[in-house]
Amino acid sequence: MMKKIVSIILIITMLLCSSVFGAIIKFSDVSSSHWANEYIKKAQSLNIINGYENLTFKPENKVKTGEFIKMVVSCRWKPDLSKELPAGTHWATPYAKLANNFLIHEPSYTYEKYETYITRAEAVKLLWKMYIIMNPEIVVDKT
């Protein structure tokens, strides 16, 4: 079930993105025969994912809220990461600030919230909001 969720998240996120950035880094924990290898490489080429500092991707892990916000936001906005974050600030905060009022209510996100695993309901809600933002011609009947 987790594989399906990760696959769906990566596919939808890639569909929402349209720009190509950066080079592909070979993650030490993603073999060429891994079921998601091509999705991971595509998401990386779109600068949606970067992996971890130790050149791993951890494809079997659950997705944390901060990681998911970063993936979704990276489809539309690019935060200014040149400034050093204040001590104690979560790395995902610049992404959340860009999404504030569009996707999430950023002030309600704490360091601990970014580190919790995102639920399917939260993930779908963020993806739907991003889809509507990127496709304004779609009319949603809210009645």
Side-chain angles (χ1 to χ4, degrees):
M1 183 57 143
M2 194 62 197
K3 287 182 180 182
K4 286 183 182 178
I5 294 169
V6 171
S7 180
I8 290 169
I9 289 170
L10 286 173
I11 290 168
I12 291 172
T13 306
M14 287 186 296
L15 290 174
L16 291 173
C17 297
S18 60
S19 303
V20 178
F21 300 97
I24 303 296
I25 296 169
K26 174 78 174 108
F27 295 120
S28 62
D29 58 347
V30 180
S31 70
S32 59
S33 62
H34 189 278
W35 69 269
N37 182 47
E38 291 304 313
Y39 300 117
I40 293 167
K41 288 192 317 190
K42 181 68 172 176
Q44 187 184 21
S45 74
L46 294 169
N47 205 27
I48 297 168
I49 61 167
N50 305 102
Y52 296 89
E53 291 178 0
N54 62 356
L55 299 181
T56 61
F57 178 68
K58 302 179 185 180
E60 305 306 325
N61 283 11
K62 293 179 181 179
V63 177
K64 294 181 181 178
T65 300
E67 293 168 335
F68 192 76
I69 289 170
K70 188 265 186 199
M71 287 188 282
V72 173
V73 167
S74 293
C75 290
R76 178 70 176 198
W77 302 287
K78 302 298 177 219
D80 179 6
L81 300 176
S82 64
K83 300 174 187 166
E84 191 170 319
L85 294 173
T89 303
H90 194 277
W91 64 265
T93 301
Y95 298 95
K97 285 187 181 299
L98 283 175
N100 195 23
N101 298 325
F102 295 106
L103 301 176
I104 63 171
H105 183 63
E106 185 267 329
S108 65
Y109 278 72
T110 62
Y111 194 98
E112 292 75 27
K113 174 66 175 164
Y114 290 123
E115 289 297 313
T116 60
Y117 297 114
I118 194 160
T119 66
R120 281 179 262 174
E122 290 171 319
V124 169
K125 186 176 178 181
L126 288 172
L127 287 172
W128 178 248
K129 286 180 177 181
M130 180 57 91
Y131 182 77
I132 295 301
I133 289 169
M134 295 185 77
N135 296 281
E137 71 280 2
I138 294 176
V139 177
V140 178
D141 183 7
K142 296 182 181 182
T143 58

